[in-house]
Amino acid sequence: MRRWLLSLLAALLAVLSSAVPAGAAGTAATADCTGPGFERFGTASPTGAIVGSVVHEGRGYVVTRGRKPVVLAEYDLATRTVVREVDVPDGPGPGSPEGAWAMAVSGGKIYIGTYVDPSLYRFDPVTGTITHLKTFGGEGGFIWSLTAAPDGVLYAGTYPGGRVWEYNPATGAAQDFGVLSSGERYVRAVDADATNVYAGLLDSGKLLAINRSTKAIRVLATNPGGFSTVAVGRSRLRAGSGSTLFDVKTDGTDLRKVALGAGRSIDAIGQAPDYTAYVSTRPNGLIARYRTAEPLKWYAQAPKADEETRGLFLDGTTLTGFSGSGGVWQLDVETEQSTYTGLLDAGLSEGDERPQSLLRATDGKVWVGGHFNVTVHDTATRTKRSIWVPGEPKALVQRGDRIYAAIYPSGRIVEIDPTRNDALREVTFLPSGQQRPWDMEYDPVTDRLLVASAPLGTSTVGALTVVDPIAGTTEPYVNVLPNESLMSLSLGPNGIVYLGGDVRGGGGGDPALWNSAASVGAFDLTTRKLLWEVDPVAGNQTLQDIKVHNGILYGVFKRNAGWFTMDVQTRQVLDKGTLPGYGEIEVHQGKVFTSTYFGGGNVHLLGPGLADPQLIATGLGDEWYTNPQLAFIPGTWQAWALTGRELTRLRLDPACAPLTVT
């Protein structure tokens, strides 16, 4: 059967399935606008995920990720139980901490460096108190890394200033070391010895030694992918950059590069007293032992497969690792036997995180993507279950009775089968370094998944990837919008998929002067050719989402938050304006909605036929981790959304007065 006929039939079926029966609620004649208009169903995405970790005197200390309030948890390594939790208070600035990637021990105290309020705190294990010490930058910043020199002085690597900060616990004095490399934003890793602080830079791809006294800078190594882990011991420095382990003397001589293998990247480095290094790798969670001038020894089984490791610590023959999803494993490096304990099972209190994605399945259950987790809500019984996934599910789609998730930061596509006890199957990885999947749709005509993505780092080269969900094969169309990442896509009629670009790329870098506006493109899935590309609105750098409906493309911009409409035949912009924030677009019952945040949380009707957006709901809050989404219930004006961090059913009937969620 010809593709155009299949497309026509699919469109006709969609119209018939979404049509509202005569007399159904939500039509202009029968609109029911009484009552509160919303109903909450509890925490949308429960979590036990963690970020930073450290070990001190038989106890592991971890900081939770993304929950309110952030919690410092103390874990007894011997009994494998959480023995204490302490809330991390807000600092004096306008922001609130969401977690702490960075932790260190100095003078028997635990120090933590937080984000997105980049503050340094001290925890006293004796008194159980947490004290705010300093803030290294403004709201939205990160303390990515933290270490203690042998004399107890602390060094922190920060974002977005790209600075190394020094903090002396004895005096409370703090200073930064100035610009380390022009345009650098990320000091992703630090370590220190008596003479130098060593810094791994992400944007400029440099491994630096900075003299602690003179502040003189030496470049020890470079690599385009940047350095994300650093560990110093005696006279040698080990550092991770993508799939390569760098081993160099601290004076910059005798540089050795050790390949870990394609598709693997270094997560964490831990060192033994004899300076044997142990490295953990993504995405498989495998562990390797490394000694200079010796080949890598790989341990056959990952202590926790497909996990990200937040820290590695060796005590005797026991290597302890902390998993990002919220767990602790211990590996005997001689016998290769390992154990794993989930922190929630060990007594960590459950938190509520900011969700990543939202999907209403055809059976009525609501799926919410979080960090290393998908929560499935049975809203009829008000019960829920959690499914572990290997990362952050940025997008969820349904194909038949299977659910597919696009995972960051591995760029992995996984399948979840609810009919087989939520069995997880790895479908494929996005090729060509495309580790940030931003949007995904299912094309029922070709039975393929369509994925819009961006790379890590400062590259702006994105891709459209066509995925066969059965065979696991991929057809990548890299740089399909020249020198732009892809943020969004919309499958239109006749096998055309429309693409929304981003000139800042996955890492949010500065765009090239000649490429300062985000583009819209039309890609033909039959010929596999880009038909056309236009820049709809000058000066707008990121198209957060696009949707095509009845020949009109609706778009929402992220930077300079706003909206526009464009005729896809003439490629002329019909109208444009501002919005209080940005988010995703949903077409339902012939209407085009957008849900936005960074403006208090709003839903607007964009069209069709509107000169200005119509406010439908307000007061939803700004608690999405990625972008606000809506999941409409067919045949009604009810939709699933977030209010705060709770899953909520909203009445979004355009015939009613704007809904205010309180």
PDB file of all heavy atoms in Angstrom, residues 519-546:
ATOM      1  N   SER A 519      16.709  27.040  13.693  1.00  0.00           N
ATOM      2  CA  SER A 519      16.021  26.761  12.438  1.00  0.00           C
ATOM      3  C   SER A 519      14.901  25.744  12.610  1.00  0.00           C
ATOM      4  O   SER A 519      14.891  24.958  13.559  1.00  0.00           O
ATOM      5  CB  SER A 519      17.011  26.211  11.398  1.00  0.00           C
ATOM      6  OG  SER A 519      18.057  27.113  11.153  1.00  0.00           O
ATOM      7  N   VAL A 520      13.987  25.770  11.644  1.00  0.00           N
ATOM      8  CA  VAL A 520      13.011  24.714  11.439  1.00  0.00           C
ATOM      9  C   VAL A 520      13.349  24.038  10.125  1.00  0.00           C
ATOM     10  O   VAL A 520      13.669  24.705   9.136  1.00  0.00           O
ATOM     11  CB  VAL A 520      11.573  25.268  11.397  1.00  0.00           C
ATOM     12  CG1 VAL A 520      10.595  24.203  10.923  1.00  0.00           C
ATOM     13  CG2 VAL A 520      11.163  25.775  12.761  1.00  0.00           C
ATOM     14  N   GLY A 521      13.325  22.707  10.112  1.00  0.00           N
ATOM     15  CA  GLY A 521      13.575  21.969   8.884  1.00  0.00           C
ATOM     16  C   GLY A 521      12.492  20.941   8.633  1.00  0.00           C
ATOM     17  O   GLY A 521      11.810  20.494   9.559  1.00  0.00           O
ATOM     18  N   ALA A 522      12.345  20.551   7.361  1.00  0.00           N
ATOM     19  CA  ALA A 522      11.405  19.493   6.968  1.00  0.00           C
ATOM     20  C   ALA A 522      12.210  18.357   6.355  1.00  0.00           C
ATOM     21  O   ALA A 522      12.938  18.560   5.378  1.00  0.00           O
ATOM     22  CB  ALA A 522      10.379  20.024   5.973  1.00  0.00           C
ATOM     23  N   PHE A 523      12.055  17.154   6.926  1.00  0.00           N
ATOM     24  CA  PHE A 523      12.824  15.992   6.499  1.00  0.00           C
ATOM     25  C   PHE A 523      11.871  14.931   5.973  1.00  0.00           C
ATOM     26  O   PHE A 523      10.902  14.567   6.648  1.00  0.00           O
ATOM     27  CB  PHE A 523      13.629  15.444   7.680  1.00  0.00           C
ATOM     28  CG  PHE A 523      14.575  14.326   7.326  1.00  0.00           C
ATOM     29  CD1 PHE A 523      15.859  14.594   6.881  1.00  0.00           C
ATOM     30  CD2 PHE A 523      14.176  13.008   7.449  1.00  0.00           C
ATOM     31  CE1 PHE A 523      16.730  13.566   6.563  1.00  0.00           C
ATOM     32  CE2 PHE A 523      15.035  11.970   7.135  1.00  0.00           C
ATOM     33  CZ  PHE A 523      16.321  12.252   6.689  1.00  0.00           C
ATOM     34  N   ASP A 524      12.155  14.442   4.765  1.00  0.00           N
ATOM     35  CA  ASP A 524      11.303  13.447   4.118  1.00  0.00           C
ATOM     36  C   ASP A 524      11.780  12.052   4.517  1.00  0.00           C
ATOM     37  O   ASP A 524      12.897  11.641   4.191  1.00  0.00           O
ATOM     38  CB  ASP A 524      11.379  13.613   2.597  1.00  0.00           C
ATOM     39  CG  ASP A 524      10.330  12.782   1.863  1.00  0.00           C
ATOM     40  OD1 ASP A 524      10.024  11.667   2.324  1.00  0.00           O
ATOM     41  OD2 ASP A 524       9.828  13.250   0.830  1.00  0.00           O
ATOM     42  N   LEU A 525      10.922  11.309   5.228  1.00  0.00           N
ATOM     43  CA  LEU A 525      11.297   9.981   5.686  1.00  0.00           C
ATOM     44  C   LEU A 525      11.322   8.954   4.559  1.00  0.00           C
ATOM     45  O   LEU A 525      11.902   7.868   4.718  1.00  0.00           O
ATOM     46  CB  LEU A 525      10.333   9.514   6.780  1.00  0.00           C
ATOM     47  CG  LEU A 525      10.433  10.258   8.110  1.00  0.00           C
ATOM     48  CD1 LEU A 525       9.285   9.869   9.022  1.00  0.00           C
ATOM     49  CD2 LEU A 525      11.763   9.992   8.783  1.00  0.00           C
ATOM     50  N   THR A 526      10.715   9.271   3.423  1.00  0.00           N
ATOM     51  CA  THR A 526      10.749   8.356   2.290  1.00  0.00           C
ATOM     52  C   THR A 526      12.058   8.471   1.527  1.00  0.00           C
ATOM     53  O   THR A 526      12.728   7.476   1.253  1.00  0.00           O
ATOM     54  CB  THR A 526       9.561   8.615   1.346  1.00  0.00           C
ATOM     55  OG1 THR A 526       8.344   8.449   2.071  1.00  0.00           O
ATOM     56  CG2 THR A 526       9.586   7.654   0.166  1.00  0.00           C
ATOM     57  N   THR A 527      12.450   9.693   1.191  1.00  0.00           N
ATOM     58  CA  THR A 527      13.694   9.911   0.436  1.00  0.00           C
ATOM     59  C   THR A 527      14.899  10.085   1.337  1.00  0.00           C
ATOM     60  O   THR A 527      16.032  10.055   0.856  1.00  0.00           O
ATOM     61  CB  THR A 527      13.559  11.156  -0.449  1.00  0.00           C
ATOM     62  OG1 THR A 527      13.403  12.323   0.384  1.00  0.00           O
ATOM     63  CG2 THR A 527      12.357  11.030  -1.381  1.00  0.00           C
ATOM     64  N   ARG A 528      14.642  10.256   2.665  1.00  0.00           N
ATOM     65  CA  ARG A 528      15.706  10.517   3.640  1.00  0.00           C
ATOM     66  C   ARG A 528      16.496  11.767   3.252  1.00  0.00           C
ATOM     67  O   ARG A 528      17.714  11.818   3.325  1.00  0.00           O
ATOM     68  CB  ARG A 528      16.655   9.328   3.756  1.00  0.00           C
ATOM     69  CG  ARG A 528      16.003   8.033   4.263  1.00  0.00           C
ATOM     70  CD  ARG A 528      15.489   8.188   5.691  1.00  0.00           C
ATOM     71  NE  ARG A 528      15.389   6.931   6.401  1.00  0.00           N
ATOM     72  CZ  ARG A 528      14.258   6.282   6.646  1.00  0.00           C
ATOM     73  NH1 ARG A 528      13.119   6.764   6.183  1.00  0.00           N
ATOM     74  NH2 ARG A 528      14.250   5.165   7.345  1.00  0.00           N
ATOM     75  N   LYS A 529      15.772  12.805   2.861  1.00  0.00           N
ATOM     76  CA  LYS A 529      16.394  14.064   2.460  1.00  0.00           C
ATOM     77  C   LYS A 529      15.784  15.230   3.244  1.00  0.00           C
ATOM     78  O   LYS A 529      14.588  15.228   3.553  1.00  0.00           O
ATOM     79  CB  LYS A 529      16.176  14.334   0.968  1.00  0.00           C
ATOM     80  CG  LYS A 529      16.745  13.272   0.040  1.00  0.00           C
ATOM     81  CD  LYS A 529      18.252  13.342  -0.049  1.00  0.00           C
ATOM     82  CE  LYS A 529      18.782  12.381  -1.109  1.00  0.00           C
ATOM     83  NZ  LYS A 529      20.254  12.389  -1.175  1.00  0.00           N
ATOM     84  N   LEU A 530      16.627  16.222   3.550  1.00  0.00           N
ATOM     85  CA  LEU A 530      16.131  17.481   4.113  1.00  0.00           C
ATOM     86  C   LEU A 530      15.558  18.303   2.975  1.00  0.00           C
ATOM     87  O   LEU A 530      16.274  18.660   2.024  1.00  0.00           O
ATOM     88  CB  LEU A 530      17.259  18.236   4.807  1.00  0.00           C
ATOM     89  CG  LEU A 530      16.847  19.530   5.512  1.00  0.00           C
ATOM     90  CD1 LEU A 530      15.979  19.232   6.736  1.00  0.00           C
ATOM     91  CD2 LEU A 530      18.071  20.345   5.923  1.00  0.00           C
ATOM     92  N   LEU A 531      14.255  18.600   3.053  1.00  0.00           N
ATOM     93  CA  LEU A 531      13.583  19.312   1.972  1.00  0.00           C
ATOM     94  C   LEU A 531      13.842  20.802   2.023  1.00  0.00           C
ATOM     95  O   LEU A 531      14.033  21.448   0.985  1.00  0.00           O
ATOM     96  CB  LEU A 531      12.074  19.035   2.028  1.00  0.00           C
ATOM     97  CG  LEU A 531      11.648  17.561   1.941  1.00  0.00           C
ATOM     98  CD1 LEU A 531      10.137  17.451   2.040  1.00  0.00           C
ATOM     99  CD2 LEU A 531      12.163  16.936   0.652  1.00  0.00           C
ATOM    100  N   TRP A 532      13.795  21.354   3.219  1.00  0.00           N
ATOM    101  CA  TRP A 532      14.042  22.790   3.363  1.00  0.00           C
ATOM    102  C   TRP A 532      14.385  23.127   4.797  1.00  0.00           C
ATOM    103  O   TRP A 532      14.169  22.327   5.707  1.00  0.00           O
ATOM    104  CB  TRP A 532      12.855  23.629   2.885  1.00  0.00           C
ATOM    105  CG  TRP A 532      11.497  23.268   3.431  1.00  0.00           C
ATOM    106  CD1 TRP A 532      10.540  22.544   2.808  1.00  0.00           C
ATOM    107  CD2 TRP A 532      10.949  23.632   4.716  1.00  0.00           C
ATOM    108  NE1 TRP A 532       9.421  22.420   3.611  1.00  0.00           N
ATOM    109  CE2 TRP A 532       9.648  23.087   4.783  1.00  0.00           C
ATOM    110  CE3 TRP A 532      11.410  24.356   5.792  1.00  0.00           C
ATOM    111  CZ2 TRP A 532       8.817  23.250   5.884  1.00  0.00           C
ATOM    112  CZ3 TRP A 532      10.588  24.524   6.902  1.00  0.00           C
ATOM    113  CH2 TRP A 532       9.317  23.968   6.944  1.00  0.00           C
ATOM    114  N   GLU A 533      14.929  24.308   4.967  1.00  0.00           N
ATOM    115  CA  GLU A 533      15.306  24.811   6.294  1.00  0.00           C
ATOM    116  C   GLU A 533      15.109  26.318   6.307  1.00  0.00           C
ATOM    117  O   GLU A 533      15.507  27.015   5.354  1.00  0.00           O
ATOM    118  CB  GLU A 533      16.772  24.482   6.593  1.00  0.00           C
ATOM    119  CG  GLU A 533      17.280  25.066   7.902  1.00  0.00           C
ATOM    120  CD  GLU A 533      18.800  25.038   8.003  1.00  0.00           C
ATOM    121  OE1 GLU A 533      19.459  24.611   7.030  1.00  0.00           O
ATOM    122  OE2 GLU A 533      19.329  25.473   9.052  1.00  0.00           O
ATOM    123  N   VAL A 534      14.478  26.837   7.371  1.00  0.00           N
ATOM    124  CA  VAL A 534      14.290  28.281   7.512  1.00  0.00           C
ATOM    125  C   VAL A 534      14.556  28.682   8.960  1.00  0.00           C
ATOM    126  O   VAL A 534      14.447  27.859   9.878  1.00  0.00           O
ATOM    127  CB  VAL A 534      12.861  28.722   7.114  1.00  0.00           C
ATOM    128  CG1 VAL A 534      12.589  28.461   5.643  1.00  0.00           C
ATOM    129  CG2 VAL A 534      11.821  28.046   7.984  1.00  0.00           C
ATOM    130  N   ASP A 535      14.920  29.937   9.157  1.00  0.00           N
ATOM    131  CA  ASP A 535      15.030  30.531  10.488  1.00  0.00           C
ATOM    132  C   ASP A 535      13.775  31.362  10.707  1.00  0.00           C
ATOM    133  O   ASP A 535      13.666  32.469  10.171  1.00  0.00           O
ATOM    134  CB  ASP A 535      16.269  31.417  10.595  1.00  0.00           C
ATOM    135  CG  ASP A 535      17.555  30.643  10.422  1.00  0.00           C
ATOM    136  OD1 ASP A 535      17.510  29.408  10.471  1.00  0.00           O
ATOM    137  OD2 ASP A 535      18.609  31.276  10.227  1.00  0.00           O
ATOM    138  N   PRO A 536      12.809  30.859  11.471  1.00  0.00           N
ATOM    139  CA  PRO A 536      11.507  31.536  11.515  1.00  0.00           C
ATOM    140  C   PRO A 536      11.531  32.906  12.182  1.00  0.00           C
ATOM    141  O   PRO A 536      10.849  33.818  11.721  1.00  0.00           O
ATOM    142  CB  PRO A 536      10.623  30.555  12.292  1.00  0.00           C
ATOM    143  CG  PRO A 536      11.574  29.697  13.051  1.00  0.00           C
ATOM    144  CD  PRO A 536      12.811  29.608  12.240  1.00  0.00           C
ATOM    145  N   VAL A 537      12.300  33.054  13.267  1.00  0.00           N
ATOM    146  CA  VAL A 537      12.322  34.328  13.995  1.00  0.00           C
ATOM    147  C   VAL A 537      13.769  34.668  14.325  1.00  0.00           C
ATOM    148  O   VAL A 537      14.452  33.904  15.020  1.00  0.00           O
ATOM    149  CB  VAL A 537      11.481  34.260  15.293  1.00  0.00           C
ATOM    150  CG1 VAL A 537      11.521  35.596  16.017  1.00  0.00           C
ATOM    151  CG2 VAL A 537      10.042  33.872  14.984  1.00  0.00           C
ATOM    152  N   ALA A 538      14.236  35.786  13.854  1.00  0.00           N
ATOM    153  CA  ALA A 538      15.620  36.192  14.056  1.00  0.00           C
ATOM    154  C   ALA A 538      15.921  36.378  15.541  1.00  0.00           C
ATOM    155  O   ALA A 538      15.092  36.887  16.304  1.00  0.00           O
ATOM    156  CB  ALA A 538      15.899  37.493  13.301  1.00  0.00           C
ATOM    157  N   GLY A 539      17.113  35.933  15.941  1.00  0.00           N
ATOM    158  CA  GLY A 539      17.588  36.181  17.295  1.00  0.00           C
ATOM    159  C   GLY A 539      17.206  35.139  18.316  1.00  0.00           C
ATOM    160  O   GLY A 539      17.762  35.123  19.416  1.00  0.00           O
ATOM    161  N   ASN A 540      16.255  34.265  17.997  1.00  0.00           N
ATOM    162  CA  ASN A 540      15.860  33.212  18.931  1.00  0.00           C
ATOM    163  C   ASN A 540      16.728  31.979  18.704  1.00  0.00           C
ATOM    164  O   ASN A 540      16.769  31.436  17.601  1.00  0.00           O
ATOM    165  CB  ASN A 540      14.379  32.878  18.782  1.00  0.00           C
ATOM    166  CG  ASN A 540      13.501  33.922  19.422  1.00  0.00           C
ATOM    167  OD1 ASN A 540      13.311  33.934  20.629  1.00  0.00           O
ATOM    168  ND2 ASN A 540      12.978  34.830  18.604  1.00  0.00           N
ATOM    169  N   GLN A 541      17.390  31.519  19.754  1.00  0.00           N
ATOM    170  CA  GLN A 541      18.472  30.553  19.601  1.00  0.00           C
ATOM    171  C   GLN A 541      18.063  29.108  19.853  1.00  0.00           C
ATOM    172  O   GLN A 541      18.769  28.197  19.429  1.00  0.00           O
ATOM    173  CB  GLN A 541      19.623  30.927  20.547  1.00  0.00           C
ATOM    174  CG  GLN A 541      20.198  32.300  20.241  1.00  0.00           C
ATOM    175  CD  GLN A 541      21.213  32.748  21.275  1.00  0.00           C
ATOM    176  OE1 GLN A 541      21.268  32.230  22.383  1.00  0.00           O
ATOM    177  NE2 GLN A 541      22.021  33.712  20.904  1.00  0.00           N
ATOM    178  N   THR A 542      16.946  28.876  20.541  1.00  0.00           N
ATOM    179  CA  THR A 542      16.553  27.505  20.869  1.00  0.00           C
ATOM    180  C   THR A 542      15.055  27.324  20.681  1.00  0.00           C
ATOM    181  O   THR A 542      14.257  28.001  21.333  1.00  0.00           O
ATOM    182  CB  THR A 542      16.922  27.161  22.329  1.00  0.00           C
ATOM    183  OG1 THR A 542      18.315  27.341  22.528  1.00  0.00           O
ATOM    184  CG2 THR A 542      16.547  25.725  22.654  1.00  0.00           C
ATOM    185  N   LEU A 543      14.687  26.393  19.803  1.00  0.00           N
ATOM    186  CA  LEU A 543      13.292  26.013  19.645  1.00  0.00           C
ATOM    187  C   LEU A 543      12.992  24.899  20.631  1.00  0.00           C
ATOM    188  O   LEU A 543      13.396  23.754  20.425  1.00  0.00           O
ATOM    189  CB  LEU A 543      13.043  25.537  18.214  1.00  0.00           C
ATOM    190  CG  LEU A 543      12.646  26.605  17.214  1.00  0.00           C
ATOM    191  CD1 LEU A 543      12.818  26.106  15.797  1.00  0.00           C
ATOM    192  CD2 LEU A 543      11.202  27.019  17.454  1.00  0.00           C
ATOM    193  N   GLN A 544      12.294  25.228  21.697  1.00  0.00           N
ATOM    194  CA  GLN A 544      12.040  24.226  22.725  1.00  0.00           C
ATOM    195  C   GLN A 544      11.133  23.118  22.230  1.00  0.00           C
ATOM    196  O   GLN A 544      11.369  21.939  22.498  1.00  0.00           O
ATOM    197  CB  GLN A 544      11.429  24.878  23.967  1.00  0.00           C
ATOM    198  CG  GLN A 544      11.286  23.936  25.140  1.00  0.00           C
ATOM    199  CD  GLN A 544      12.621  23.379  25.559  1.00  0.00           C
ATOM    200  OE1 GLN A 544      13.510  24.120  25.958  1.00  0.00           O
ATOM    201  NE2 GLN A 544      12.787  22.071  25.461  1.00  0.00           N
ATOM    202  N   ASP A 545      10.087  23.475  21.484  1.00  0.00           N
ATOM    203  CA  ASP A 545       9.205  22.440  20.954  1.00  0.00           C
ATOM    204  C   ASP A 545       8.479  22.975  19.736  1.00  0.00           C
ATOM    205  O   ASP A 545       8.238  24.188  19.612  1.00  0.00           O
ATOM    206  CB  ASP A 545       8.189  21.990  22.012  1.00  0.00           C
ATOM    207  CG  ASP A 545       7.575  20.635  21.682  1.00  0.00           C
ATOM    208  OD1 ASP A 545       8.197  19.884  20.912  1.00  0.00           O
ATOM    209  OD2 ASP A 545       6.484  20.322  22.190  1.00  0.00           O
ATOM    210  N   ILE A 546       8.134  22.044  18.837  1.00  0.00           N
ATOM    211  CA  ILE A 546       7.311  22.370  17.670  1.00  0.00           C
ATOM    212  C   ILE A 546       6.263  21.280  17.499  1.00  0.00           C
ATOM    213  O   ILE A 546       6.465  20.136  17.885  1.00  0.00           O
ATOM    214  CB  ILE A 546       8.146  22.508  16.378  1.00  0.00           C
ATOM    215  CG1 ILE A 546       8.902  21.195  16.078  1.00  0.00           C
ATOM    216  CG2 ILE A 546       9.108  23.679  16.458  1.00  0.00           C
ATOM    217  CD1 ILE A 546       9.575  21.171  14.723  1.00  0.00           C
TER     218      ILE A 546
END
